[in-house]
PDB file of all heavy atoms in Angstrom:
ATOM      1  N   SER A 101     -42.862  45.037 -47.929  1.00  0.00           N
ATOM      2  CA  SER A 101     -44.005  44.205 -47.526  1.00  0.00           C
ATOM      3  C   SER A 101     -45.346  44.710 -48.048  1.00  0.00           C
ATOM      4  O   SER A 101     -46.389  44.189 -47.665  1.00  0.00           O
ATOM      5  CB  SER A 101     -44.070  44.033 -46.002  1.00  0.00           C
ATOM      6  OG  SER A 101     -44.586  45.187 -45.362  1.00  0.00           O
ATOM      7  N   ASN A 102     -45.350  45.721 -48.942  1.00  0.00           N
ATOM      8  CA  ASN A 102     -46.647  46.197 -49.454  1.00  0.00           C
ATOM      9  C   ASN A 102     -46.949  45.661 -50.840  1.00  0.00           C
ATOM     10  O   ASN A 102     -47.937  46.055 -51.451  1.00  0.00           O
ATOM     11  CB  ASN A 102     -46.692  47.721 -49.469  1.00  0.00           C
ATOM     12  CG  ASN A 102     -45.936  48.323 -50.648  1.00  0.00           C
ATOM     13  OD1 ASN A 102     -44.990  47.715 -51.164  1.00  0.00           O
ATOM     14  ND2 ASN A 102     -46.324  49.513 -51.058  1.00  0.00           N
ATOM     15  N   LYS A 103     -46.116  44.771 -51.363  1.00  0.00           N
ATOM     16  CA  LYS A 103     -46.400  44.167 -52.664  1.00  0.00           C
ATOM     17  C   LYS A 103     -45.809  42.766 -52.697  1.00  0.00           C
ATOM     18  O   LYS A 103     -44.752  42.489 -52.124  1.00  0.00           O
ATOM     19  CB  LYS A 103     -45.871  45.033 -53.812  1.00  0.00           C
ATOM     20  CG  LYS A 103     -44.381  45.322 -53.763  1.00  0.00           C
ATOM     21  CD  LYS A 103     -43.955  46.267 -54.877  1.00  0.00           C
ATOM     22  CE  LYS A 103     -44.469  47.671 -54.679  1.00  0.00           C
ATOM     23  NZ  LYS A 103     -43.794  48.372 -53.545  1.00  0.00           N
ATOM     24  N   HIS A 104     -46.507  41.886 -53.401  1.00  0.00           N
ATOM     25  CA  HIS A 104     -46.107  40.491 -53.485  1.00  0.00           C
ATOM     26  C   HIS A 104     -45.996  40.031 -54.930  1.00  0.00           C
ATOM     27  O   HIS A 104     -45.761  38.861 -55.191  1.00  0.00           O
ATOM     28  CB  HIS A 104     -47.106  39.624 -52.711  1.00  0.00           C
ATOM     29  CG  HIS A 104     -47.375  40.179 -51.353  1.00  0.00           C
ATOM     30  ND1 HIS A 104     -48.487  40.944 -51.070  1.00  0.00           N
ATOM     31  CD2 HIS A 104     -46.637  40.149 -50.213  1.00  0.00           C
ATOM     32  CE1 HIS A 104     -48.444  41.339 -49.815  1.00  0.00           C
ATOM     33  NE2 HIS A 104     -47.339  40.879 -49.274  1.00  0.00           N
ATOM     34  N   ALA A 105     -46.172  40.975 -55.863  1.00  0.00           N
ATOM     35  CA  ALA A 105     -46.015  40.713 -57.283  1.00  0.00           C
ATOM     36  C   ALA A 105     -44.998  41.699 -57.833  1.00  0.00           C
ATOM     37  O   ALA A 105     -45.141  42.916 -57.648  1.00  0.00           O
ATOM     38  CB  ALA A 105     -47.344  40.855 -58.008  1.00  0.00           C
ATOM     39  N   VAL A 106     -43.980  41.190 -58.506  1.00  0.00           N
ATOM     40  CA  VAL A 106     -42.860  42.010 -58.952  1.00  0.00           C
ATOM     41  C   VAL A 106     -42.540  41.676 -60.402  1.00  0.00           C
ATOM     42  O   VAL A 106     -42.484  40.493 -60.770  1.00  0.00           O
ATOM     43  CB  VAL A 106     -41.607  41.758 -58.073  1.00  0.00           C
ATOM     44  CG1 VAL A 106     -40.417  42.556 -58.581  1.00  0.00           C
ATOM     45  CG2 VAL A 106     -41.903  42.088 -56.620  1.00  0.00           C
ATOM     46  N   VAL A 107     -42.360  42.688 -61.223  1.00  0.00           N
ATOM     47  CA  VAL A 107     -41.962  42.522 -62.620  1.00  0.00           C
ATOM     48  C   VAL A 107     -40.732  43.376 -62.864  1.00  0.00           C
ATOM     49  O   VAL A 107     -40.700  44.553 -62.487  1.00  0.00           O
ATOM     50  CB  VAL A 107     -43.091  42.941 -63.583  1.00  0.00           C
ATOM     51  CG1 VAL A 107     -42.634  42.795 -65.031  1.00  0.00           C
ATOM     52  CG2 VAL A 107     -44.346  42.117 -63.343  1.00  0.00           C
ATOM     53  N   LEU A 108     -39.713  42.782 -63.491  1.00  0.00           N
ATOM     54  CA  LEU A 108     -38.522  43.536 -63.862  1.00  0.00           C
ATOM     55  C   LEU A 108     -38.125  43.167 -65.282  1.00  0.00           C
ATOM     56  O   LEU A 108     -38.148  41.986 -65.665  1.00  0.00           O
ATOM     57  CB  LEU A 108     -37.332  43.223 -62.951  1.00  0.00           C
ATOM     58  CG  LEU A 108     -37.426  43.483 -61.459  1.00  0.00           C
ATOM     59  CD1 LEU A 108     -37.939  42.241 -60.741  1.00  0.00           C
ATOM     60  CD2 LEU A 108     -36.060  43.871 -60.886  1.00  0.00           C
ATOM     61  N   ASP A 109     -37.782  44.164 -66.077  1.00  0.00           N
ATOM     62  CA  ASP A 109     -37.152  43.913 -67.373  1.00  0.00           C
ATOM     63  C   ASP A 109     -36.052  44.933 -67.580  1.00  0.00           C
ATOM     64  O   ASP A 109     -35.651  45.629 -66.639  1.00  0.00           O
ATOM     65  CB  ASP A 109     -38.177  43.900 -68.512  1.00  0.00           C
ATOM     66  CG  ASP A 109     -38.953  45.201 -68.670  1.00  0.00           C
ATOM     67  OD1 ASP A 109     -38.383  46.279 -68.380  1.00  0.00           O
ATOM     68  OD2 ASP A 109     -40.120  45.148 -69.098  1.00  0.00           O
ATOM     69  N   GLU A 110     -35.553  45.039 -68.799  1.00  0.00           N
ATOM     70  CA  GLU A 110     -34.401  45.899 -69.046  1.00  0.00           C
ATOM     71  C   GLU A 110     -34.747  47.374 -69.013  1.00  0.00           C
ATOM     72  O   GLU A 110     -33.859  48.217 -68.846  1.00  0.00           O
ATOM     73  CB  GLU A 110     -33.763  45.526 -70.386  1.00  0.00           C
ATOM     74  CG  GLU A 110     -33.182  44.111 -70.391  1.00  0.00           C
ATOM     75  CD  GLU A 110     -32.520  43.763 -71.708  1.00  0.00           C
ATOM     76  OE1 GLU A 110     -32.543  44.608 -72.622  1.00  0.00           O
ATOM     77  OE2 GLU A 110     -31.983  42.645 -71.816  1.00  0.00           O
ATOM     78  N   THR A 111     -36.033  47.706 -69.157  1.00  0.00           N
ATOM     79  CA  THR A 111     -36.410  49.111 -69.252  1.00  0.00           C
ATOM     80  C   THR A 111     -37.364  49.562 -68.159  1.00  0.00           C
ATOM     81  O   THR A 111     -37.557  50.768 -67.988  1.00  0.00           O
ATOM     82  CB  THR A 111     -37.074  49.402 -70.615  1.00  0.00           C
ATOM     83  OG1 THR A 111     -38.248  48.589 -70.745  1.00  0.00           O
ATOM     84  CG2 THR A 111     -36.111  49.104 -71.756  1.00  0.00           C
ATOM     85  N   SER A 112     -37.996  48.638 -67.442  1.00  0.00           N
ATOM     86  CA  SER A 112     -38.978  49.035 -66.437  1.00  0.00           C
ATOM     87  C   SER A 112     -39.035  48.003 -65.326  1.00  0.00           C
ATOM     88  O   SER A 112     -38.617  46.853 -65.493  1.00  0.00           O
ATOM     89  CB  SER A 112     -40.369  49.197 -67.070  1.00  0.00           C
ATOM     90  OG  SER A 112     -40.843  47.962 -67.584  1.00  0.00           O
ATOM     91  N   ALA A 113     -39.580  48.441 -64.185  1.00  0.00           N
ATOM     92  CA  ALA A 113     -39.703  47.538 -63.048  1.00  0.00           C
ATOM     93  C   ALA A 113     -40.816  48.024 -62.137  1.00  0.00           C
ATOM     94  O   ALA A 113     -41.145  49.212 -62.099  1.00  0.00           O
ATOM     95  CB  ALA A 113     -38.384  47.458 -62.278  1.00  0.00           C
ATOM     96  N   THR A 114     -41.382  47.096 -61.373  1.00  0.00           N
ATOM     97  CA  THR A 114     -42.347  47.447 -60.338  1.00  0.00           C
ATOM     98  C   THR A 114     -41.717  48.461 -59.388  1.00  0.00           C
ATOM     99  O   THR A 114     -40.542  48.337 -59.036  1.00  0.00           O
ATOM    100  CB  THR A 114     -42.745  46.175 -59.569  1.00  0.00           C
ATOM    101  OG1 THR A 114     -43.368  45.270 -60.476  1.00  0.00           O
ATOM    102  CG2 THR A 114     -43.691  46.493 -58.434  1.00  0.00           C
ATOM    103  N   PRO A 115     -42.452  49.491 -58.964  1.00  0.00           N
ATOM    104  CA  PRO A 115     -41.890  50.465 -58.037  1.00  0.00           C
ATOM    105  C   PRO A 115     -41.257  49.789 -56.824  1.00  0.00           C
ATOM    106  O   PRO A 115     -41.812  48.833 -56.274  1.00  0.00           O
ATOM    107  CB  PRO A 115     -43.105  51.308 -57.638  1.00  0.00           C
ATOM    108  CG  PRO A 115     -44.003  51.224 -58.827  1.00  0.00           C
ATOM    109  CD  PRO A 115     -43.833  49.837 -59.364  1.00  0.00           C
ATOM    110  N   SER A 116     -40.105  50.304 -56.439  1.00  0.00           N
ATOM    111  CA  SER A 116     -39.204  49.822 -55.385  1.00  0.00           C
ATOM    112  C   SER A 116     -38.223  48.792 -55.904  1.00  0.00           C
ATOM    113  O   SER A 116     -37.335  48.349 -55.168  1.00  0.00           O
ATOM    114  CB  SER A 116     -39.937  49.306 -54.133  1.00  0.00           C
ATOM    115  OG  SER A 116     -40.579  48.085 -54.351  1.00  0.00           O
ATOM    116  N   PHE A 117     -38.325  48.457 -57.211  1.00  0.00           N
ATOM    117  CA  PHE A 117     -37.339  47.583 -57.843  1.00  0.00           C
ATOM    118  C   PHE A 117     -36.702  48.331 -59.014  1.00  0.00           C
ATOM    119  O   PHE A 117     -37.195  49.369 -59.448  1.00  0.00           O
ATOM    120  CB  PHE A 117     -37.986  46.273 -58.291  1.00  0.00           C
ATOM    121  CG  PHE A 117     -38.390  45.412 -57.121  1.00  0.00           C
ATOM    122  CD1 PHE A 117     -39.587  45.644 -56.464  1.00  0.00           C
ATOM    123  CD2 PHE A 117     -37.565  44.407 -56.658  1.00  0.00           C
ATOM    124  CE1 PHE A 117     -39.963  44.883 -55.368  1.00  0.00           C
ATOM    125  CE2 PHE A 117     -37.928  43.634 -55.560  1.00  0.00           C
ATOM    126  CZ  PHE A 117     -39.122  43.870 -54.911  1.00  0.00           C
ATOM    127  N   THR A 118     -35.593  47.787 -59.517  1.00  0.00           N
ATOM    128  CA  THR A 118     -34.761  48.501 -60.485  1.00  0.00           C
ATOM    129  C   THR A 118     -34.669  47.741 -61.789  1.00  0.00           C
ATOM    130  O   THR A 118     -34.353  46.533 -61.803  1.00  0.00           O
ATOM    131  CB  THR A 118     -33.342  48.714 -59.924  1.00  0.00           C
ATOM    132  OG1 THR A 118     -33.444  49.391 -58.664  1.00  0.00           O
ATOM    133  CG2 THR A 118     -32.498  49.537 -60.874  1.00  0.00           C
ATOM    134  N   ALA A 119     -34.942  48.423 -62.905  1.00  0.00           N
ATOM    135  CA  ALA A 119     -34.794  47.826 -64.229  1.00  0.00           C
ATOM    136  C   ALA A 119     -33.321  47.557 -64.525  1.00  0.00           C
ATOM    137  O   ALA A 119     -32.428  48.180 -63.949  1.00  0.00           O
ATOM    138  CB  ALA A 119     -35.393  48.754 -65.280  1.00  0.00           C
ATOM    139  N   GLY A 120     -33.077  46.640 -65.472  1.00  0.00           N
ATOM    140  CA  GLY A 120     -31.704  46.342 -65.861  1.00  0.00           C
ATOM    141  C   GLY A 120     -31.589  44.974 -66.491  1.00  0.00           C
ATOM    142  O   GLY A 120     -32.599  44.331 -66.814  1.00  0.00           O
ATOM    143  N   PRO A 121     -30.372  44.474 -66.676  1.00  0.00           N
ATOM    144  CA  PRO A 121     -30.161  43.165 -67.315  1.00  0.00           C
ATOM    145  C   PRO A 121     -30.894  42.058 -66.567  1.00  0.00           C
ATOM    146  O   PRO A 121     -31.004  42.087 -65.339  1.00  0.00           O
ATOM    147  CB  PRO A 121     -28.643  42.978 -67.251  1.00  0.00           C
ATOM    148  CG  PRO A 121     -28.092  44.357 -67.104  1.00  0.00           C
ATOM    149  CD  PRO A 121     -29.098  45.123 -66.315  1.00  0.00           C
ATOM    150  N   ILE A 122     -31.365  41.061 -67.334  1.00  0.00           N
ATOM    151  CA  ILE A 122     -32.183  40.007 -66.737  1.00  0.00           C
ATOM    152  C   ILE A 122     -31.559  38.620 -66.909  1.00  0.00           C
ATOM    153  O   ILE A 122     -31.270  37.934 -65.937  1.00  0.00           O
ATOM    154  CB  ILE A 122     -33.605  40.008 -67.345  1.00  0.00           C
ATOM    155  CG1 ILE A 122     -34.289  41.376 -67.130  1.00  0.00           C
ATOM    156  CG2 ILE A 122     -34.440  38.882 -66.749  1.00  0.00           C
ATOM    157  CD1 ILE A 122     -34.532  41.741 -65.691  1.00  0.00           C
ATOM    158  N   GLY A 123     -31.387  38.185 -68.145  1.00  0.00           N
ATOM    159  CA  GLY A 123     -31.019  36.803 -68.410  1.00  0.00           C
ATOM    160  C   GLY A 123     -29.544  36.494 -68.233  1.00  0.00           C
ATOM    161  O   GLY A 123     -28.691  37.375 -68.222  1.00  0.00           O
ATOM    162  N   GLY A 124     -29.263  35.180 -68.077  1.00  0.00           N
ATOM    163  CA  GLY A 124     -27.888  34.705 -68.028  1.00  0.00           C
ATOM    164  C   GLY A 124     -27.166  35.018 -66.740  1.00  0.00           C
ATOM    165  O   GLY A 124     -25.958  35.265 -66.749  1.00  0.00           O
ATOM    166  N   ARG A 125     -27.865  34.963 -65.621  1.00  0.00           N
ATOM    167  CA  ARG A 125     -27.233  35.258 -64.335  1.00  0.00           C
ATOM    168  C   ARG A 125     -27.953  34.510 -63.210  1.00  0.00           C
ATOM    169  O   ARG A 125     -29.080  34.056 -63.356  1.00  0.00           O
ATOM    170  CB  ARG A 125     -27.206  36.754 -64.064  1.00  0.00           C
ATOM    171  CG  ARG A 125     -28.556  37.437 -64.069  1.00  0.00           C
ATOM    172  CD  ARG A 125     -28.395  38.954 -64.165  1.00  0.00           C
ATOM    173  NE  ARG A 125     -27.766  39.333 -65.411  1.00  0.00           N
ATOM    174  CZ  ARG A 125     -26.781  40.242 -65.519  1.00  0.00           C
ATOM    175  NH1 ARG A 125     -26.335  40.851 -64.450  1.00  0.00           N
ATOM    176  NH2 ARG A 125     -26.269  40.542 -66.685  1.00  0.00           N
ATOM    177  N   ARG A 126     -27.245  34.414 -62.101  1.00  0.00           N
ATOM    178  CA  ARG A 126     -27.749  33.726 -60.919  1.00  0.00           C
ATOM    179  C   ARG A 126     -28.393  34.744 -59.992  1.00  0.00           C
ATOM    180  O   ARG A 126     -27.724  35.588 -59.396  1.00  0.00           O
ATOM    181  CB  ARG A 126     -26.596  33.023 -60.209  1.00  0.00           C
ATOM    182  CG  ARG A 126     -26.988  32.156 -59.016  1.00  0.00           C
ATOM    183  CD  ARG A 126     -27.628  30.872 -59.431  1.00  0.00           C
ATOM    184  NE  ARG A 126     -27.726  29.929 -58.296  1.00  0.00           N
ATOM    185  CZ  ARG A 126     -28.483  28.860 -58.287  1.00  0.00           C
ATOM    186  NH1 ARG A 126     -29.230  28.577 -59.345  1.00  0.00           N
ATOM    187  NH2 ARG A 126     -28.508  28.055 -57.249  1.00  0.00           N
ATOM    188  N   TRP A 127     -29.719  34.688 -59.883  1.00  0.00           N
ATOM    189  CA  TRP A 127     -30.461  35.601 -59.053  1.00  0.00           C
ATOM    190  C   TRP A 127     -30.678  35.007 -57.657  1.00  0.00           C
ATOM    191  O   TRP A 127     -30.413  33.825 -57.423  1.00  0.00           O
ATOM    192  CB  TRP A 127     -31.828  35.886 -59.675  1.00  0.00           C
ATOM    193  CG  TRP A 127     -31.783  36.777 -60.886  1.00  0.00           C
ATOM    194  CD1 TRP A 127     -31.251  36.480 -62.106  1.00  0.00           C
ATOM    195  CD2 TRP A 127     -32.319  38.090 -60.987  1.00  0.00           C
ATOM    196  NE1 TRP A 127     -31.418  37.529 -62.966  1.00  0.00           N
ATOM    197  CE2 TRP A 127     -32.065  38.535 -62.309  1.00  0.00           C
ATOM    198  CE3 TRP A 127     -32.978  38.934 -60.113  1.00  0.00           C
ATOM    199  CZ2 TRP A 127     -32.461  39.790 -62.750  1.00  0.00           C
ATOM    200  CZ3 TRP A 127     -33.376  40.179 -60.552  1.00  0.00           C
ATOM    201  CH2 TRP A 127     -33.111  40.605 -61.860  1.00  0.00           C
ATOM    202  N   SER A 128     -31.210  35.824 -56.775  1.00  0.00           N
ATOM    203  CA  SER A 128     -31.546  35.339 -55.442  1.00  0.00           C
ATOM    204  C   SER A 128     -32.703  36.141 -54.867  1.00  0.00           C
ATOM    205  O   SER A 128     -32.685  37.378 -54.901  1.00  0.00           O
ATOM    206  CB  SER A 128     -30.340  35.453 -54.503  1.00  0.00           C
ATOM    207  OG  SER A 128     -30.672  35.006 -53.203  1.00  0.00           O
ATOM    208  N   LEU A 129     -33.727  35.412 -54.396  1.00  0.00           N
ATOM    209  CA  LEU A 129     -34.731  36.064 -53.558  1.00  0.00           C
ATOM    210  C   LEU A 129     -34.094  36.369 -52.210  1.00  0.00           C
ATOM    211  O   LEU A 129     -33.314  35.564 -51.683  1.00  0.00           O
ATOM    212  CB  LEU A 129     -35.935  35.148 -53.330  1.00  0.00           C
ATOM    213  CG  LEU A 129     -36.680  34.593 -54.541  1.00  0.00           C
ATOM    214  CD1 LEU A 129     -37.823  33.708 -54.063  1.00  0.00           C
ATOM    215  CD2 LEU A 129     -37.194  35.701 -55.423  1.00  0.00           C
ATOM    216  N   ASP A 130     -34.399  37.505 -51.664  1.00  0.00           N
ATOM    217  CA  ASP A 130     -33.916  37.884 -50.337  1.00  0.00           C
ATOM    218  C   ASP A 130     -35.142  38.041 -49.442  1.00  0.00           C
ATOM    219  O   ASP A 130     -35.790  39.086 -49.448  1.00  0.00           O
ATOM    220  CB  ASP A 130     -33.121  39.187 -50.427  1.00  0.00           C
ATOM    221  CG  ASP A 130     -32.529  39.587 -49.088  1.00  0.00           C
ATOM    222  OD1 ASP A 130     -31.959  38.708 -48.422  1.00  0.00           O
ATOM    223  OD2 ASP A 130     -32.656  40.772 -48.708  1.00  0.00           O
ATOM    224  N   LEU A 131     -35.486  36.984 -48.720  1.00  0.00           N
ATOM    225  CA  LEU A 131     -36.697  36.983 -47.909  1.00  0.00           C
ATOM    226  C   LEU A 131     -36.369  37.526 -46.518  1.00  0.00           C
ATOM    227  O   LEU A 131     -35.659  36.884 -45.740  1.00  0.00           O
ATOM    228  CB  LEU A 131     -37.279  35.578 -47.808  1.00  0.00           C
ATOM    229  CG  LEU A 131     -37.608  34.898 -49.148  1.00  0.00           C
ATOM    230  CD1 LEU A 131     -38.223  33.531 -48.907  1.00  0.00           C
ATOM    231  CD2 LEU A 131     -38.523  35.760 -49.994  1.00  0.00           C
ATOM    232  N   GLY A 132     -36.884  38.701 -46.235  1.00  0.00           N
ATOM    233  CA  GLY A 132     -36.649  39.323 -44.939  1.00  0.00           C
ATOM    234  C   GLY A 132     -37.788  38.987 -43.986  1.00  0.00           C
ATOM    235  O   GLY A 132     -38.910  39.454 -44.170  1.00  0.00           O
ATOM    236  N   VAL A 133     -37.492  38.178 -42.981  1.00  0.00           N
ATOM    237  CA  VAL A 133     -38.521  37.735 -42.041  1.00  0.00           C
ATOM    238  C   VAL A 133     -38.652  38.795 -40.954  1.00  0.00           C
ATOM    239  O   VAL A 133     -37.939  38.785 -39.941  1.00  0.00           O
ATOM    240  CB  VAL A 133     -38.179  36.355 -41.449  1.00  0.00           C
ATOM    241  CG1 VAL A 133     -39.314  35.864 -40.552  1.00  0.00           C
ATOM    242  CG2 VAL A 133     -37.907  35.343 -42.576  1.00  0.00           C
ATOM    243  N   SER A 134     -39.588  39.698 -41.142  1.00  0.00           N
ATOM    244  CA  SER A 134     -39.756  40.795 -40.189  1.00  0.00           C
ATOM    245  C   SER A 134     -40.340  40.313 -38.869  1.00  0.00           C
ATOM    246  O   SER A 134     -39.988  40.821 -37.802  1.00  0.00           O
ATOM    247  CB  SER A 134     -40.670  41.876 -40.777  1.00  0.00           C
ATOM    248  OG  SER A 134     -40.073  42.461 -41.900  1.00  0.00           O
ATOM    249  N   TYR A 135     -41.260  39.320 -38.973  1.00  0.00           N
ATOM    250  CA  TYR A 135     -41.823  38.788 -37.721  1.00  0.00           C
ATOM    251  C   TYR A 135     -42.313  37.371 -37.931  1.00  0.00           C
ATOM    252  O   TYR A 135     -42.871  37.031 -38.984  1.00  0.00           O
ATOM    253  CB  TYR A 135     -42.983  39.643 -37.201  1.00  0.00           C
ATOM    254  CG  TYR A 135     -43.380  39.196 -35.810  1.00  0.00           C
ATOM    255  CD1 TYR A 135     -42.686  39.664 -34.707  1.00  0.00           C
ATOM    256  CD2 TYR A 135     -44.383  38.259 -35.622  1.00  0.00           C
ATOM    257  CE1 TYR A 135     -42.997  39.218 -33.431  1.00  0.00           C
ATOM    258  CE2 TYR A 135     -44.702  37.804 -34.356  1.00  0.00           C
ATOM    259  CZ  TYR A 135     -43.998  38.286 -33.264  1.00  0.00           C
ATOM    260  OH  TYR A 135     -44.284  37.827 -32.009  1.00  0.00           O
TER     261      TYR A 135
END
Side-chain angles (χ1 to χ4, degrees):
S101 77
N102 78 333
K103 58 184 70 70
H104 312 99
V106 177
V107 178
L108 300 91
D109 60 32
E110 295 182 358
T111 60
S112 64
T114 298
S116 72
F117 291 82
T118 305
I122 302 296
R125 58 195 63 224
R126 185 75 167 165
W127 287 68
S128 179
L129 304 180
D130 183 46
L131 303 182
V133 184
S134 296
Y135 189 83

